[in-house]
Amino acid sequence: MSRVKRAKTILDAGLQQMGQREMLSFDEYLRELSARPALVLRNVFQVFHDMIMSYVGDGYDEYPDDPESIHYALYDCSRLFVEGADRPFFADRLFANRLISHVEAMRRGAQQNKIYIFEGPHGCGKSTFLNNLLRQFEAYANTDEGMRYEIVWRLRRKDLGGFSERQLNRLFEQGVPAGDEMTASQLADAVPVHMHSAEDAIDVPCISHDPPFLIIPKDIRRQFFDELFENDAFKWKLFTDKEYEWVFRDTPCTICSSLFSALLSKLKTPRKVFQAVYARPYHFNRRLGKGISVFNPGDRPMKNIVLTNEMIQGQIDRMLRDSNQVKYLFSTYANTNNGIYVLMDIKSHNTGRLIELHNVISEGVHKVEDLEENVNSLFIALMNPEDKANIQDVQSFSDRIEYMRIPYVMDLNTEVDIYRNIFGKHIEESFLPRVLHNFARVIISTRLNRTSEGLLEWIGNPTRYRDFCDENLQLLKMEIYTGYIPSWLSEEDRKRLTAKRRRRIIQEAEREGLMGVSGRDAIKLFSDFYSTYAREERLINMSILCNFFRALKKKTDILIPEGLLESLLRMYNYTVLQEVKESLYFYNEQQIARDVQNYMFAVNFELGTQAKCEFTGDRLDISEAFLSGVEARLLGMDATDARRAAFREETQREYTTRTLPQEVMLEGLPLVRTKLFLALHERYVYNLKEKVLEPFLENRNFRRAIADYGTDLFKTYDQRIRDDVTFLMTNLADKYHYTGRGAKDVSMYVIDNDLAKKY
């Protein structure tokens, strides 16, 4: 029994937290509004914005100091679309930036005059995206952070003068007339009415979920808020920003307006009328259609578009002793007023629903018999490209529609995240590093346009980057789409990547991702590939990947661009070669720093002179041999005499005009922190790394030692080879996350394919 009691205690505590919050009087509501105006004074569009930003947070820009940045940020959408979801949706960087941009504009603009249609091809995850978005909105709207208040009218017999408690109880016991308007349970769910016997009162919640402050007449609302709020930043924003125009423009629903007028006529003073106004949290429940209504194409329209509740109508009439003052009529739009109204796919019955929304969206009102019902909802729809034909005849509706594309994933990191989610994070253990991402690159290549005017205008001749990219520059575009600017770009091209050019490239994504391998097909292809080639005794390498897709091209109509696989292999070869070089590189950093400082000092003297470097203390014989020896490491062994002379002159000019007088003498920087030193140091190290493999390739024992690493045979090699191989294996693991087997495989791959001579 003790276990049962403890379990019930947990149950009671949990359900208590889920229980309804207490209603506030109008005075208490105003105090809450004054204390937290930014949270209380929000419509559905502002709450929708706040919900998304609370889950997503600020984006991360890898190049914050870049003057040509377009603020193409990395947004973490996992809390919004992945965590806690039965079917996660993975938003790539392109879509996440587009979504945040739309949400920001939605908050600022004339929101209620539009319907937002998310358009995308089959298999792109539209339904998953929207279901997860609505699930999180419902959860957020029912928390303290996302909560809004709605009006509840408390009509007291003692204030209005009327019937006894016994007579009122008899009224509440009346049933709902038979008919096809609404069932009794539906009425109870739509508008719960409670009897407070101690006070002889009935509570009538606003069927349109209006915020209580709308009861304040429009003509004095600005003056009222001017008195209520302090002169702070929020008050300035409230009175000047477009996003708060609705606060002074909107009016309460017809039922609330009628009740206000009837009570004012009966009670005579506004103060007594406001004593009948209460505020309670607007509770969202998609399954019950409260705050969120979702219509599928097969859902038939309701027979009666005008709804009422005769029991409530009778109670109001008897309380007010007048059957004409308040007409309790409403439509289904009232359930989602200040909420979200969703159409899943524009076809079948949803086509009619969308067309019916034309007047509602245009005017913001809906006719219910002779009454006008306010409709201030967030309207969202999903659409396949071919379904656009269903609404082409409604030309006047086109300016009320704002489209947002949900294409196939074009960010390779997101594509890999999808594979990890479905097949498990352990799949990476079966691949050499980057091979899994290269699988994603092949899939994404089918979704991109073959040519890019933006990239061609920027790069010009793609053959300059043949070792790193394909002739269509798709591999470069994939890097740009992930937010990464490749290091293999020349310094000149990096400077030419202006904000205008980068924005033009990103905008090309609006016309991509609508064709190619769909999300579903990509998952199936990866499943076939992984189940076929994942083995404990070997890692999946680039040869396996390329052979798989070449065979696939012969058997299917998959549209992998010509030359893409070959270019991908060249890029991979270059990358792993650099990793092996970086992992083998070991040089005395102090000696490099001394060489660079001595060179910067020596270029200021005539050849044949001697001088003591004031930065290192070394006595230098400044000769052509000395200068050209350092320049060979700075420019490479194949640099011409003319190139070395020009470089020497350029270095001397930079040293005398900027480095020494400005950075060293004026700013007090040590020479090793100046821009010229850092640039020369980077060149020096780069050229050293380029030659780092040469002595090892001439030693046949080096490859055999790599193959025997981790075995007893490795102990038979001399100490120098063992140290070099151990240094290489350790760095590959630490710097590039190779496993022990992966480090051996990639090292032998570089040696066996003679990559050092090819690149």
Side-chain angles (χ1 to χ4, degrees):
M1 288 300 295
S2 59
R3 290 183 177 275
V4 173
K5 288 182 179 179
R6 289 199 298 269
K8 287 183 66 178
T9 301
I10 295 173
L11 181 63
D12 290 341
L15 291 178
Q16 186 67 33
Q17 294 177 356
M18 296 171 59
Q20 292 289 331
R21 299 177 180 89
E22 292 184 1
M23 287 200 303
L24 305 179
S25 68
F26 192 69
D27 286 351
E28 292 171 331
Y29 166 76
L30 292 180
R31 284 194 287 271
E32 180 77 1
L33 176 59
S34 178
R36 302 193 306 162
L39 289 179
V40 178
L41 209 62
R42 293 182 294 176
N43 61 14
V44 64
F45 305 96
Q46 292 165 318
V47 173
F48 187 76
H49 167 275
D50 294 348
M51 180 273 296
I52 288 182
M53 299 312 299
S54 71
Y55 283 116
V56 175
D58 295 329
Y60 171 72
D61 187 353
E62 294 89 341
Y63 307 98
D65 300 325
D66 186 351
E68 298 294 337
S69 172
I70 62 172
H71 306 293
Y72 179 59
L74 175 64
Y75 291 101
D76 182 5
C77 297
S78 58
R79 290 184 61 222
L80 185 61
F81 297 125
V82 178
E83 293 180 10
D86 295 332
R87 295 180 58 195
F89 174 82
F90 291 89
D92 68 5
R93 188 163 182 157
L94 290 160
F95 179 75
N97 275 265
R98 202 177 301 135
L99 177 64
I100 296 299
S101 177
H102 273 262
V103 169
E104 291 284 0
M106 184 188 298
R107 176 173 182 146
R108 295 189 301 267
Q111 310 97 335
Q112 73 276 13
N113 293 326
K114 292 182 179 179
I115 180 170
Y116 298 88
I117 296 183
F118 291 87
E119 177 190 14
H122 295 280
C124 68
K126 297 188 298 296
S127 298
T128 303
F129 152 77
L130 190 51
N131 281 320
N132 290 349
L133 187 66
L134 295 176
R135 176 180 61 87
Q136 293 291 54
F137 181 83
E138 180 179 345
Y140 177 82
N142 291 327
T143 64
D144 289 337
E145 186 181 358
M147 181 188 67
R148 286 174 295 152
Y149 290 98
E150 63 181 0
I151 300 172
V152 177
W153 294 92
R154 178 163 292 178
L155 308 181
R156 298 180 177 87
R157 182 176 60 83
K158 67 178 183 179
D159 295 332
L160 298 174
F163 301 92
S164 66
E165 178 182 333
R166 182 177 178 183
Q167 290 172 309
L168 284 172
N169 284 331
R170 189 179 307 144
L171 291 175
F172 280 102
E173 292 169 0
Q174 293 177 357
V176 180
D180 57 2
E181 287 90 353
M182 296 180 75
T183 66
S185 60
Q186 286 175 324
L187 286 171
D189 287 338
V191 185
V193 179
H194 306 287
M195 176 65 193
H196 298 270
S197 58
E199 299 182 84
D200 291 346
I202 59 171
D203 287 349
V204 182
C206 173
I207 193 66
S208 294
H209 311 287
D210 286 330
F213 77 85
L214 288 185
I215 292 298
I216 301 169
K218 285 173 59 176
D219 56 350
I220 63 169
R221 203 176 291 167
R222 186 175 291 271
Q223 180 183 354
F224 177 84
F225 283 137
D226 188 32
E227 189 66 33
L228 180 67
F229 297 130
E230 296 181 1
N231 293 324
D232 55 13
F234 176 80
K235 183 176 178 179
W236 174 262
K237 190 174 183 180
L238 172 67
F239 279 75
T240 58
D241 277 16
K242 188 176 182 65
E243 71 173 278
Y244 284 103
E245 283 183 355
W246 68 276
V247 172
F248 305 102
R249 180 193 64 228
D250 288 2
T251 57
C253 73
T254 309
I255 297 173
C256 288
S257 298
S258 300
L259 277 170
F260 183 86
S261 298
L263 291 175
L264 186 60
S265 174
K266 202 166 186 66
L267 300 176
K268 306 304 181 184
T269 63
R271 184 180 298 274
K272 290 185 178 180
V273 175
F274 284 113
Q275 288 176 353
V277 178
Y278 282 75
R280 76 171 185 185
Y282 182 2
H283 184 73
F284 282 69
N285 190 319
R286 171 181 171 175
R287 296 187 66 188
L288 298 179
K290 292 183 178 180
I292 300 175
S293 288
V294 180
F295 296 93
N296 292 301
D299 297 337
R300 295 183 177 276
M302 291 183 63
K303 293 181 180 179
N304 294 327
I305 59 175
V306 178
L307 306 175
T308 186
N309 186 319
E310 294 188 7
M311 180 178 66
I312 298 175
Q313 181 71 69
Q315 292 165 351
I316 294 174
D317 291 345
R318 291 180 176 87
M319 273 284 191
L320 299 176
R321 296 195 174 187
D322 192 324
S323 60
N324 295 316
Q325 292 191 64
V326 179
K327 293 184 179 180
Y328 199 79
L329 301 175
F330 57 95
S331 73
T332 55
Y333 293 118
N335 290 330
T336 52
N337 191 51
N338 275 308
I340 303 180
Y341 182 99
V342 178
L343 301 178
M344 289 282 193
D345 290 335
I346 307 304
K347 58 183 64 174
S348 187
H349 297 301
N350 275 352
T351 303
R353 289 188 177 99
L354 179 65
I355 294 173
E356 185 183 338
L357 286 176
H358 179 237
N359 290 332
V360 174
I361 293 174
S362 299
E363 306 300 330
V365 296
H366 176 66
K367 202 72 170 178
V368 182
E369 290 188 356
D370 57 342
L371 304 180
E372 284 190 348
E373 180 179 71
N374 295 339
V375 182
N376 295 316
S377 303
L378 171 56
F379 295 102
I380 297 177
L382 299 183
M383 179 185 286
N384 294 317
E386 65 271 17
D387 293 332
K388 264 190 176 180
N390 295 334
I391 59 172
Q392 284 182 346
D393 295 336
V394 192
Q395 294 297 327
S396 60
F397 205 4
S398 59
D399 63 334
R400 301 296 183 185
I401 297 176
E402 185 160 335
Y403 290 99
M404 181 174 174
R405 293 184 183 274
I406 305 183
Y408 298 135
V409 169
M410 290 182 288
D411 178 341
L412 64 97
N413 294 324
T414 305
E415 185 75 11
V416 171
D417 285 341
I418 294 173
Y419 304 152
R420 290 193 191 108
N421 175 260
I422 294 174
F423 300 98
K425 294 182 179 180
H426 66 278
I427 59 173
E428 290 188 271
E429 300 172 4
S430 299
F431 291 82
L432 281 172
R434 270 168 309 287
V435 175
L436 176 59
H437 284 74
N438 283 343
F439 184 98
R441 285 184 171 94
V442 177
I443 295 297
I444 293 172
S445 71
T446 69
R447 302 167 179 171
L448 303 180
N449 294 336
R450 292 296 179 266
T451 59
S452 167
E453 294 180 2
L455 286 173
L456 289 174
E457 187 273 333
W458 168 36
I459 298 297
N461 183 12
T463 57
R464 294 187 293 122
Y465 295 114
R466 186 177 181 277
D467 290 340
F468 320 109
C469 200
D470 58 299
E471 63 180 14
N472 296 322
L473 299 174
Q474 284 189 327
L475 295 175
L476 173 58
K477 175 176 276 192
M478 291 180 206
E479 299 299 317
I480 299 294
Y481 280 178
T482 63
Y484 175 64
I485 301 174
S487 59
W488 43 260
L489 288 169
S490 69
E491 186 175 345
E492 179 185 359
D493 282 338
R494 179 64 183 85
K495 291 179 180 179
R496 293 180 67 244
L497 184 58
T498 61
K500 182 178 179 181
R501 284 195 171 103
R502 194 177 180 194
R503 192 173 289 110
R504 182 183 179 186
I505 295 167
I506 295 296
Q507 286 174 347
E508 290 181 359
E510 292 286 345
R511 302 185 298 275
E512 296 178 313
L514 304 178
M515 301 179 66
V517 178
S518 70
R520 296 190 191 104
D521 290 341
I523 292 169
K524 185 179 183 303
L525 282 176
F526 184 82
S527 177
D528 294 341
F529 177 73
Y530 184 73
S531 60
T532 302
Y533 297 106
R535 297 287 184 273
E536 290 187 5
E537 65 275 8
R538 70 173 182 183
L539 298 176
I540 298 174
N541 56 35
M542 279 299 296
S543 298
I544 294 173
L545 183 143
C546 290
N547 291 336
F548 171 79
F549 279 110
R550 289 191 184 104
L552 190 66
K553 284 183 67 176
K554 293 179 180 179
K555 294 187 296 184
T556 67
D557 57 354
I558 185 173
L559 299 176
I560 300 174
E562 289 297 325
L564 188 282
L565 292 174
E566 291 73 19
S567 299
L568 192 61
L569 183 60
R570 287 196 300 270
M571 183 180 74
Y572 174 80
N573 288 343
Y574 176 82
T575 303
V576 296
L577 174 63
Q578 301 311 310
E579 289 176 348
V580 170
K581 286 181 177 180
E582 180 73 31
S583 299
L584 268 175
Y585 168 74
F586 177 78
Y587 199 82
N588 189 325
E589 289 290 338
Q590 291 183 346
Q591 185 59 50
I592 295 175
R594 296 182 76 86
D595 287 352
V596 172
Q597 291 177 88
N598 287 337
Y599 178 77
M600 293 170 65
F601 179 80
V603 293
N604 299 282
F605 292 85
E606 297 289 337
L607 295 178
T609 61
Q610 291 185 342
K612 182 179 180 181
C613 179
E614 60 184 75
F615 301 106
T616 64
D618 294 343
R619 181 163 294 280
L620 307 177
D621 290 320
I622 302 171
S623 62
E624 180 64 33
F626 168 77
L627 293 176
S628 60
V630 179
E631 288 161 354
R633 296 185 178 92
L634 292 172
L635 301 175
M637 297 295 294
D638 55 350
T640 63
D641 291 343
R643 174 74 182 102
R644 288 190 292 103
F647 180 81
R648 193 179 301 174
E649 181 181 347
E650 180 183 340
T651 302
Q652 194 269 339
R653 182 169 58 252
E654 175 72 10
Y655 177 83
T656 56
T657 60
R658 178 188 177 93
T659 304
L660 185 62
Q662 183 173 332
E663 294 182 279
V664 175
M665 300 181 68
L666 184 62
E667 299 177 17
L669 290 177
L671 189 68
V672 293
R673 289 180 57 193
T674 62
K675 290 184 177 180
L676 179 59
F677 174 87
L678 295 174
L680 294 177
H681 183 275
E682 184 179 0
R683 280 179 173 272
Y684 197 113
V685 170
Y686 173 80
N687 283 288
L688 279 179
K689 290 177 182 177
E690 284 296 294
K691 306 297 181 183
V692 72
L693 262 176
E694 290 183 359
F696 297 102
L697 295 177
E698 297 172 0
N699 188 339
R700 295 181 178 179
N701 286 334
F702 184 66
R703 185 198 182 282
R704 289 198 294 267
I706 291 174
D708 292 334
Y709 179 75
T711 69
D712 291 339
L713 289 175
F714 185 70
K715 299 176 182 178
T716 63
Y717 295 89
D718 64 63
Q719 186 65 42
R720 178 62 185 270
I721 287 183
R722 279 186 288 155
D723 290 344
D724 290 336
V725 171
T726 301
F727 187 72
L728 171 62
M729 296 294 109
T730 301
N731 282 339
L732 283 172
D734 293 344
K735 293 182 178 180
Y736 304 107
H737 311 294
Y738 282 89
T739 62
R741 183 175 59 178
K744 291 169 61 174
D745 287 356
V746 76
S747 299
M748 289 190 289
Y749 177 84
V750 168
I751 295 172
D752 293 345
N753 288 279
D754 207 9
L755 298 186
K757 292 183 179 179
K758 293 180 180 178
Y759 297 90

